[in-house]
Amino acid sequence: MISFELNGKTTEVTVAPDTALLWVVRDHLKLKGSKFGCGMGLCGACSMLIDGESTRTCVLPMAAIQGRKVTTIEGIGTPDMLSTLQSAWVEASVAQCGYCQSGQLVSATALLRKNSNPSDNEIDEAMSGNICRCGTYPNIKKAIKQAAKDLGEDSGQLQMVAYFDPNSIQQEA
Amino acid sequence: MTTSRSSDIALERKGVNTTRRNFLKNMSLVGGGLVVGLPVTGCANVLLPNAHESVLQPNALLQITSDNVVNFYLPRSEMGQGIYTGLTTIVGEELDLDPQQINVINAGLHEDYKNTEFKLQVTGGSNSIRTHFLPLRHLAANARLVIRQAAAQQLNLNLADIQTDNGKIMIKGKALDYGEFADYANTLPFPEDAPLKDKHEFKYIGKDNRRLDGVAKATGTAQFGIDVDFEGLCGAALKRCPIMGGTVKSFNDSDAKGMPGVKSIVKIHNGVAVVADHYYQAKNALPKLKIQWNLPKTLSKFSSDSTAADNGKGLFKTALDSDNATNVFEKGDGLTALKHAHTVISAEYWAPYLAHATMEPMNCTAKLADNRLELWVGCQSPELAKNLAAYYAHVPAENIIIHSTFLGGGFGRRSESDFVAEAAAIARASNLPIKLCWSREDDLQNDSYRPASMARFTVSLNKAGLIDSWTVKRAGPQLMPYAIDNVVDGIMPSILPNSLVDWMSKAGYRLYNSLLVDHTSVEGLYEDYDAPHKSSDHVTADPGLPVGAWRSVGHSYSGFFKESMMDEIAALQNQDSVDFRLKHLKNNPKLANVLKVAAEKAAWNKGLPKGHYQGVAVHASFSSFVAQIAQVSVVNNQLFVHRVVCAIDCGLAINPGIVKAQMESGIIDGLSAALYGEITLQDGVVQQSNYHDYPALRIHKSPEIDVVIIDSDEAPTGVGEPGLPPIAAAVANAIFAATGTRLRSLPLKLEG
Ligand code: FES
Ligand code: FES
């Protein structure tokens, strides 16, 4: 049995220790916000915060997360309680197909946690692990800068969800 | 959605005709109220996932329920291009309701959702906004009128006294919800001729509205096909022949059977599938399968090694040199013109096979029970998907329900239904509800690729240095023969035995390829510029790798070919690239205009930073006109694209923010192709497997992009694709300006 903290809640699973975290979260724990894009740590669609760092979870075995803190997109904000970054994202209409966006938001959240006022180069560096095939990069930059500004004016929060209740999710089709 | 019952208005109401109401209750969508469609072709015998069980199945695009929910059943697939927002904006405008208040539902499959241009329910050709602009406006305007009529009758007032404001009926300063009158409105004859708004009255069209799918996509709650889940759903993975088109000769699954979670192993038409409790378990078991394949004959012999004389590019070159070409377009007398030419310039260009590499790998969920098949899938072509699934699941097409989801990227890939066919076949063979998921490797190695193409231009100039004749010949595979394979499989099976259908689809390929030219093979190669004499030929060169529509289709290579050629001519004539183009755009004023606007915005060849160079390209496609100017630097053979200026004329921009985003998207997608994109084969096996050897442009390589949208009163035209075709040439032309080297092959490789 492997025990870790998922979106503020202690979670225990019994799976083969080499199972990738992504599949445990998506298929066993039924949180579908984190996506499968490449399975090789190349695209960032599966990014989650592990102890605050944006991490590729398609290649991260469960054995490596025993006792660690995992935050998925669901643990950052919800449609009714958007984080400041998510609000900026919605305001800038960043998403196109949307598939890479959870991963982008996770990486951007990790960036703003460490750096409240990132430069263009710092944004590039922090976000270059996340591919967007739709090419939303210009709007991603815009939204990150807006969020940094909003956070700087002390009018926001990077993470809205302290404890996430998996039963609360509703998917929009 | 808030419901505000305005009971404070004491107005006498007429009752609602209950007989009619009961009838509607039997046939209408969940929620009832006003239900209207477009065009109402009668009740096709197709199940709608959103309908009550009943004999009659309604078509509906728009529904206003009595508790004031306005549902818009989106008849096209949202894959990033923004029609979820765009079509809803059109509806909201004429309904006089903020699009943000409209509940958008990804509609299933229905006769009445057919694409009027393709005669099939397909999302493609950048035509969703263009083909829906007027019909949806009329529908919504008529709906608004009937609600006003209902209010007038129920409240005994004159129609003229009933105005609307953002989803409310306004009477004497009081506001009543549309929903209050929905049931009554449904008993009235639906109007046909409500006047449309003037452009200056628009509140939502042409304004910068937020995307309506933005919140769902920023919170991970938007449902993609891959997210579909329900109790008992199994994961499936499929091992296909390493060479596309191969079939299973024999297999041994004894090692795979014992793998964790494995429930069933089945052979289907193109491989062996493992079904397990979870997808990752099925995927883990695949390498344990031992399979002998029947290899496809032609493709197995093909390698992309361009140094060998008789294969790779050689195959295309031989085709170009042959006399087998079919003439596609002819104007004037090019041959005679050539004889009298002052100057003749000739050049050859190459564009490789490309994969789509949508962010969401292909997937489809299939549940087969009691001769009924339910599918959950994000696809561009649900109608073909249904027919193909019927064939592979051996279920009558009318017993298939398709639940549509968001698409994690389309780019043309999801207009194919091969993955739906596989899911249907696996569900049938395993007798389990399954979600088939592709790996990235599956995706890159089993695509319907952008056809590799080679083109040769021969252009003659008169004494004045103007183009006299423009001749172009293109060699490469054609899309249509491959599409026929699927269409025949999909449409014929209800009346013909399977073996006959298979034969017809193969014969269809041969028949088609020898007789006809698919216009997408040559589109964009000859149309844009003025020339007294023009001719365009096609010759098929096809090693047998399946091809399909790839964002902007033929324009994806013709934009590069034609615009590179134009630049070569200008350079050889010592003419400015912008001026030279303008001289040949006298009959193409919109393309000339976007070129001028872009040149001005980019400060063409004026005051560039040291070491920076510009390149220009223009291209018309999908009824839109685009000019792009790329600003690059080349240092130690390293290319950097710093900035791209883009001007587009797409008629009236419904959502300018989305038009801008689609230009950025087309440019970035086009840069991935221009800088890296190349699918190669070795003995028929695709060599690329994941994003490490088939890279996509990342944020740190993404240029600054400035988009100018031409102000226009004309009807809207395409935006999903037209932003892509010019970019490769704009960059190649900038590289020429920087280095004097003309790169005639994609991807653009600087020797170093
Ligand atoms: S799915 Fe994990 S990095 Fe691509
Ligand atoms: S929004 Fe489609 S891949 Fe990023």
Side-chain angles (χ1 to χ4, degrees), chain A residues 67-99:
Chain A
R68 300 177 73 179
K69 267 174 94 162
V70 177
T71 306
T72 66
I73 185 71
E74 290 89 350
I76 288 176
T78 64
D80 296 331
M81 267 193 316
L82 297 173
S83 77
T84 304
L85 185 66
Q86 285 171 317
S87 296
W89 220 263
V90 171
E91 220 37 65
S93 290
V94 175
Q96 289 185 29
C97 84
Y99 195 76

mmCIF file of all heavy atoms in Angstrom, chain A residues 67-99:
data_model
loop_
_atom_site.group_PDB
_atom_site.id
_atom_site.type_symbol
_atom_site.label_atom_id
_atom_site.label_comp_id
_atom_site.label_asym_id
_atom_site.label_seq_id
_atom_site.Cartn_x
_atom_site.Cartn_y
_atom_site.Cartn_z
ATOM 1 N N GLY A 67 4.322 9.237 0.798
ATOM 2 C CA GLY A 67 4.461 10.309 1.785
ATOM 3 C C GLY A 67 4.551 11.715 1.205
ATOM 4 O O GLY A 67 4.725 12.675 1.954
ATOM 5 N N ARG A 68 4.420 11.854 -0.113
ATOM 6 C CA ARG A 68 4.587 13.195 -0.677
ATOM 7 C C ARG A 68 3.242 13.869 -0.946
ATOM 8 O O ARG A 68 2.194 13.262 -0.900
ATOM 9 C CB ARG A 68 5.438 13.102 -1.954
ATOM 10 C CG ARG A 68 6.816 12.523 -1.613
ATOM 11 C CD ARG A 68 7.665 12.337 -2.822
ATOM 12 N NE ARG A 68 8.152 13.606 -3.356
ATOM 13 C CZ ARG A 68 8.943 13.691 -4.422
ATOM 14 N NH1 ARG A 68 9.331 12.590 -5.051
ATOM 15 N NH2 ARG A 68 9.350 14.860 -4.852
ATOM 16 N N LYS A 69 3.354 15.173 -1.219
ATOM 17 C CA LYS A 69 2.137 15.963 -1.448
ATOM 18 C C LYS A 69 1.898 16.147 -2.932
ATOM 19 O O LYS A 69 2.732 16.723 -3.631
ATOM 20 C CB LYS A 69 2.315 17.348 -0.826
ATOM 21 C CG LYS A 69 1.800 17.465 0.587
ATOM 22 C CD LYS A 69 2.163 18.816 1.168
ATOM 23 C CE LYS A 69 1.016 19.795 0.975
ATOM 24 N NZ LYS A 69 1.168 20.949 1.903
ATOM 25 N N VAL A 70 0.779 15.661 -3.408
ATOM 26 C CA VAL A 70 0.454 15.756 -4.831
ATOM 27 C C VAL A 70 -0.740 16.692 -5.017
ATOM 28 O O VAL A 70 -1.751 16.541 -4.338
ATOM 29 C CB VAL A 70 0.098 14.358 -5.398
ATOM 30 C CG1 VAL A 70 -0.313 14.455 -6.860
ATOM 31 C CG2 VAL A 70 1.261 13.396 -5.222
ATOM 32 N N THR A 71 -0.585 17.654 -5.917
ATOM 33 C CA THR A 71 -1.716 18.533 -6.241
ATOM 34 C C THR A 71 -1.986 18.455 -7.732
ATOM 35 O O THR A 71 -1.088 18.658 -8.553
ATOM 36 C CB THR A 71 -1.407 19.998 -5.870
ATOM 37 O OG1 THR A 71 -1.001 20.038 -4.494
ATOM 38 C CG2 THR A 71 -2.626 20.877 -6.063
ATOM 39 N N THR A 72 -3.222 18.139 -8.082
ATOM 40 C CA THR A 72 -3.612 18.107 -9.493
ATOM 41 C C THR A 72 -4.360 19.394 -9.825
ATOM 42 O O THR A 72 -4.622 20.205 -8.937
ATOM 43 C CB THR A 72 -4.557 16.915 -9.777
ATOM 44 O OG1 THR A 72 -5.778 17.141 -9.066
ATOM 45 C CG2 THR A 72 -3.933 15.598 -9.337
ATOM 46 N N ILE A 73 -4.732 19.544 -11.075
ATOM 47 C CA ILE A 73 -5.486 20.738 -11.469
ATOM 48 C C ILE A 73 -6.746 20.885 -10.608
ATOM 49 O O ILE A 73 -7.146 22.001 -10.253
ATOM 50 C CB ILE A 73 -5.842 20.679 -12.985
ATOM 51 C CG1 ILE A 73 -6.523 21.965 -13.468
ATOM 52 C CG2 ILE A 73 -6.723 19.479 -13.325
ATOM 53 C CD1 ILE A 73 -5.636 23.152 -13.547
ATOM 54 N N GLU A 74 -7.349 19.759 -10.219
ATOM 55 C CA GLU A 74 -8.564 19.818 -9.403
ATOM 56 C C GLU A 74 -8.287 20.428 -8.036
ATOM 57 O O GLU A 74 -9.188 20.973 -7.398
ATOM 58 C CB GLU A 74 -9.158 18.414 -9.217
ATOM 59 C CG GLU A 74 -9.770 17.792 -10.474
ATOM 60 C CD GLU A 74 -8.782 16.997 -11.318
ATOM 61 O OE1 GLU A 74 -7.550 17.069 -11.038
ATOM 62 O OE2 GLU A 74 -9.219 16.295 -12.248
ATOM 63 N N GLY A 75 -7.033 20.298 -7.601
ATOM 64 C CA GLY A 75 -6.669 20.838 -6.293
ATOM 65 C C GLY A 75 -6.202 22.279 -6.358
ATOM 66 O O GLY A 75 -5.829 22.878 -5.337
ATOM 67 N N ILE A 76 -6.181 22.860 -7.531
ATOM 68 C CA ILE A 76 -5.760 24.259 -7.670
ATOM 69 C C ILE A 76 -6.969 25.185 -7.617
ATOM 70 O O ILE A 76 -6.955 26.221 -6.949
ATOM 71 C CB ILE A 76 -4.960 24.441 -8.981
ATOM 72 C CG1 ILE A 76 -3.589 23.780 -8.821
ATOM 73 C CG2 ILE A 76 -4.804 25.919 -9.322
ATOM 74 C CD1 ILE A 76 -2.719 23.801 -10.066
ATOM 75 N N GLY A 77 -8.014 24.813 -8.300
ATOM 76 C CA GLY A 77 -9.234 25.618 -8.281
ATOM 77 C C GLY A 77 -10.353 24.848 -8.934
ATOM 78 O O GLY A 77 -10.125 23.814 -9.571
ATOM 79 N N THR A 78 -11.560 25.323 -8.768
ATOM 80 C CA THR A 78 -12.725 24.670 -9.369
ATOM 81 C C THR A 78 -13.502 25.730 -10.156
ATOM 82 O O THR A 78 -13.247 26.921 -9.990
ATOM 83 C CB THR A 78 -13.644 24.089 -8.274
ATOM 84 O OG1 THR A 78 -14.155 25.180 -7.502
ATOM 85 C CG2 THR A 78 -12.903 23.128 -7.370
ATOM 86 N N PRO A 79 -14.451 25.306 -10.987
ATOM 87 C CA PRO A 79 -15.202 26.302 -11.759
ATOM 88 C C PRO A 79 -15.830 27.388 -10.872
ATOM 89 O O PRO A 79 -15.936 28.540 -11.292
ATOM 90 C CB PRO A 79 -16.277 25.460 -12.455
ATOM 91 C CG PRO A 79 -15.624 24.129 -12.645
ATOM 92 C CD PRO A 79 -14.776 23.933 -11.419
ATOM 93 N N ASP A 80 -16.210 27.041 -9.673
ATOM 94 C CA ASP A 80 -16.813 28.046 -8.796
ATOM 95 C C ASP A 80 -15.780 28.816 -7.999
ATOM 96 O O ASP A 80 -16.088 29.857 -7.414
ATOM 97 C CB ASP A 80 -17.769 27.362 -7.795
ATOM 98 C CG ASP A 80 -18.914 26.714 -8.517
ATOM 99 O OD1 ASP A 80 -19.276 27.219 -9.602
ATOM 100 O OD2 ASP A 80 -19.419 25.687 -8.032
ATOM 101 N N MET A 81 -14.583 28.298 -7.914
ATOM 102 C CA MET A 81 -13.528 28.934 -7.109
ATOM 103 C C MET A 81 -12.235 28.896 -7.903
ATOM 104 O O MET A 81 -11.366 28.064 -7.672
ATOM 105 C CB MET A 81 -13.319 28.132 -5.820
ATOM 106 C CG MET A 81 -14.126 28.604 -4.651
ATOM 107 S SD MET A 81 -13.488 27.833 -3.144
ATOM 108 C CE MET A 81 -13.242 26.137 -3.593
ATOM 109 N N LEU A 82 -12.134 29.797 -8.863
ATOM 110 C CA LEU A 82 -10.939 29.803 -9.711
ATOM 111 C C LEU A 82 -9.775 30.425 -8.953
ATOM 112 O O LEU A 82 -9.956 31.413 -8.235
ATOM 113 C CB LEU A 82 -11.200 30.623 -10.968
ATOM 114 C CG LEU A 82 -12.292 30.136 -11.930
ATOM 115 C CD1 LEU A 82 -12.519 31.167 -13.033
ATOM 116 C CD2 LEU A 82 -11.932 28.780 -12.526
ATOM 117 N N SER A 83 -8.598 29.855 -9.147
ATOM 118 C CA SER A 83 -7.416 30.516 -8.607
ATOM 119 C C SER A 83 -7.168 31.779 -9.437
ATOM 120 O O SER A 83 -7.741 31.946 -10.520
ATOM 121 C CB SER A 83 -6.204 29.589 -8.689
ATOM 122 O OG SER A 83 -5.710 29.536 -10.013
ATOM 123 N N THR A 84 -6.311 32.639 -8.930
ATOM 124 C CA THR A 84 -6.027 33.885 -9.646
ATOM 125 C C THR A 84 -5.477 33.596 -11.036
ATOM 126 O O THR A 84 -5.828 34.259 -12.012
ATOM 127 C CB THR A 84 -5.005 34.703 -8.842
ATOM 128 O OG1 THR A 84 -5.565 34.898 -7.537
ATOM 129 C CG2 THR A 84 -4.743 36.048 -9.480
ATOM 130 N N LEU A 85 -4.636 32.591 -11.112
ATOM 131 C CA LEU A 85 -4.071 32.229 -12.412
ATOM 132 C C LEU A 85 -5.167 31.704 -13.341
ATOM 133 O O LEU A 85 -5.227 32.068 -14.519
ATOM 134 C CB LEU A 85 -2.980 31.172 -12.223
ATOM 135 C CG LEU A 85 -2.208 30.783 -13.472
ATOM 136 C CD1 LEU A 85 -1.374 31.940 -13.994
ATOM 137 C CD2 LEU A 85 -1.295 29.591 -13.182
ATOM 138 N N GLN A 86 -6.029 30.867 -12.808
ATOM 139 C CA GLN A 86 -7.128 30.342 -13.638
ATOM 140 C C GLN A 86 -8.038 31.477 -14.121
ATOM 141 O O GLN A 86 -8.484 31.473 -15.268
ATOM 142 C CB GLN A 86 -7.944 29.301 -12.860
ATOM 143 C CG GLN A 86 -7.226 27.967 -12.725
ATOM 144 C CD GLN A 86 -7.927 27.023 -11.768
ATOM 145 O OE1 GLN A 86 -8.383 27.428 -10.696
ATOM 146 N NE2 GLN A 86 -8.012 25.748 -12.143
ATOM 147 N N SER A 87 -8.284 32.452 -13.244
ATOM 148 C CA SER A 87 -9.121 33.602 -13.658
ATOM 149 C C SER A 87 -8.453 34.354 -14.802
ATOM 150 O O SER A 87 -9.110 34.717 -15.788
ATOM 151 C CB SER A 87 -9.327 34.584 -12.511
ATOM 152 O OG SER A 87 -10.044 33.976 -11.493
ATOM 153 N N ALA A 88 -7.158 34.577 -14.656
ATOM 154 C CA ALA A 88 -6.440 35.287 -15.712
ATOM 155 C C ALA A 88 -6.494 34.481 -17.010
ATOM 156 O O ALA A 88 -6.606 35.022 -18.105
ATOM 157 C CB ALA A 88 -4.991 35.515 -15.294
ATOM 158 N N TRP A 89 -6.419 33.173 -16.854
ATOM 159 C CA TRP A 89 -6.456 32.241 -17.986
ATOM 160 C C TRP A 89 -7.796 32.360 -18.723
ATOM 161 O O TRP A 89 -7.852 32.435 -19.944
ATOM 162 C CB TRP A 89 -6.296 30.825 -17.421
ATOM 163 C CG TRP A 89 -5.445 29.915 -18.217
ATOM 164 C CD1 TRP A 89 -5.877 28.998 -19.118
ATOM 165 C CD2 TRP A 89 -4.007 29.786 -18.152
ATOM 166 N NE1 TRP A 89 -4.800 28.302 -19.618
ATOM 167 C CE2 TRP A 89 -3.653 28.767 -19.043
ATOM 168 C CE3 TRP A 89 -3.021 30.428 -17.424
ATOM 169 C CZ2 TRP A 89 -2.327 28.361 -19.241
ATOM 170 C CZ3 TRP A 89 -1.708 30.038 -17.611
ATOM 171 C CH2 TRP A 89 -1.369 29.023 -18.507
ATOM 172 N N VAL A 90 -8.871 32.370 -17.941
ATOM 173 C CA VAL A 90 -10.216 32.463 -18.528
ATOM 174 C C VAL A 90 -10.387 33.825 -19.192
ATOM 175 O O VAL A 90 -10.897 33.934 -20.306
ATOM 176 C CB VAL A 90 -11.288 32.256 -17.437
ATOM 177 C CG1 VAL A 90 -12.682 32.560 -17.973
ATOM 178 C CG2 VAL A 90 -11.213 30.823 -16.897
ATOM 179 N N GLU A 91 -9.913 34.846 -18.504
ATOM 180 C CA GLU A 91 -10.044 36.216 -19.008
ATOM 181 C C GLU A 91 -9.300 36.362 -20.337
ATOM 182 O O GLU A 91 -9.772 37.021 -21.253
ATOM 183 C CB GLU A 91 -9.449 37.158 -17.959
ATOM 184 C CG GLU A 91 -10.188 38.441 -17.712
ATOM 185 C CD GLU A 91 -11.703 38.323 -17.781
ATOM 186 O OE1 GLU A 91 -12.307 37.621 -16.936
ATOM 187 O OE2 GLU A 91 -12.265 38.932 -18.694
ATOM 188 N N ALA A 92 -8.138 35.725 -20.460
ATOM 189 C CA ALA A 92 -7.340 35.828 -21.688
ATOM 190 C C ALA A 92 -7.776 34.797 -22.737
ATOM 191 O O ALA A 92 -7.178 34.714 -23.808
ATOM 192 C CB ALA A 92 -5.859 35.652 -21.370
ATOM 193 N N SER A 93 -8.796 34.012 -22.421
ATOM 194 C CA SER A 93 -9.243 32.942 -23.338
ATOM 195 C C SER A 93 -8.056 32.142 -23.858
ATOM 196 O O SER A 93 -7.888 31.958 -25.065
ATOM 197 C CB SER A 93 -10.030 33.524 -24.520
ATOM 198 O OG SER A 93 -11.271 34.009 -24.094
ATOM 199 N N VAL A 94 -7.249 31.643 -22.959
ATOM 200 C CA VAL A 94 -6.032 30.931 -23.367
ATOM 201 C C VAL A 94 -6.356 29.636 -24.100
ATOM 202 O O VAL A 94 -5.813 29.360 -25.163
ATOM 203 C CB VAL A 94 -5.142 30.623 -22.139
ATOM 204 C CG1 VAL A 94 -3.952 29.777 -22.580
ATOM 205 C CG2 VAL A 94 -4.687 31.904 -21.468
ATOM 206 N N ALA A 95 -7.270 28.859 -23.550
ATOM 207 C CA ALA A 95 -7.485 27.498 -24.065
ATOM 208 C C ALA A 95 -7.946 27.506 -25.505
ATOM 209 O O ALA A 95 -8.741 28.352 -25.908
ATOM 210 C CB ALA A 95 -8.522 26.777 -23.209
ATOM 211 N N GLN A 96 -7.426 26.566 -26.264
ATOM 212 C CA GLN A 96 -8.046 26.265 -27.560
ATOM 213 C C GLN A 96 -8.682 24.890 -27.412
ATOM 214 O O GLN A 96 -9.749 24.787 -26.838
ATOM 215 C CB GLN A 96 -7.025 26.389 -28.691
ATOM 216 C CG GLN A 96 -6.668 27.875 -28.913
ATOM 217 C CD GLN A 96 -5.749 28.112 -30.090
ATOM 218 O OE1 GLN A 96 -5.760 27.366 -31.061
ATOM 219 N NE2 GLN A 96 -4.955 29.158 -30.014
ATOM 220 N N CYS A 97 -8.008 23.821 -27.881
ATOM 221 C CA CYS A 97 -8.641 22.521 -27.661
ATOM 222 C C CYS A 97 -8.723 22.214 -26.172
ATOM 223 O O CYS A 97 -9.610 21.524 -25.716
ATOM 224 C CB CYS A 97 -7.908 21.403 -28.405
ATOM 225 S SG CYS A 97 -6.486 20.699 -27.545
ATOM 226 N N GLY A 98 -7.780 22.743 -25.411
ATOM 227 C CA GLY A 98 -7.845 22.619 -23.954
ATOM 228 C C GLY A 98 -7.095 21.437 -23.375
ATOM 229 O O GLY A 98 -6.893 21.353 -22.166
ATOM 230 N N TYR A 99 -6.654 20.520 -24.227
ATOM 231 C CA TYR A 99 -6.127 19.266 -23.707
ATOM 232 C C TYR A 99 -4.839 19.444 -22.903
ATOM 233 O O TYR A 99 -4.613 18.748 -21.930
ATOM 234 C CB TYR A 99 -5.910 18.284 -24.854
ATOM 235 C CG TYR A 99 -5.714 16.868 -24.391
ATOM 236 C CD1 TYR A 99 -6.794 16.106 -23.963
ATOM 237 C CD2 TYR A 99 -4.453 16.290 -24.367
ATOM 238 C CE1 TYR A 99 -6.628 14.802 -23.527
ATOM 239 C CE2 TYR A 99 -4.276 14.979 -23.945
ATOM 240 C CZ TYR A 99 -5.366 14.242 -23.519
ATOM 241 O OH TYR A 99 -5.186 12.953 -23.085
#
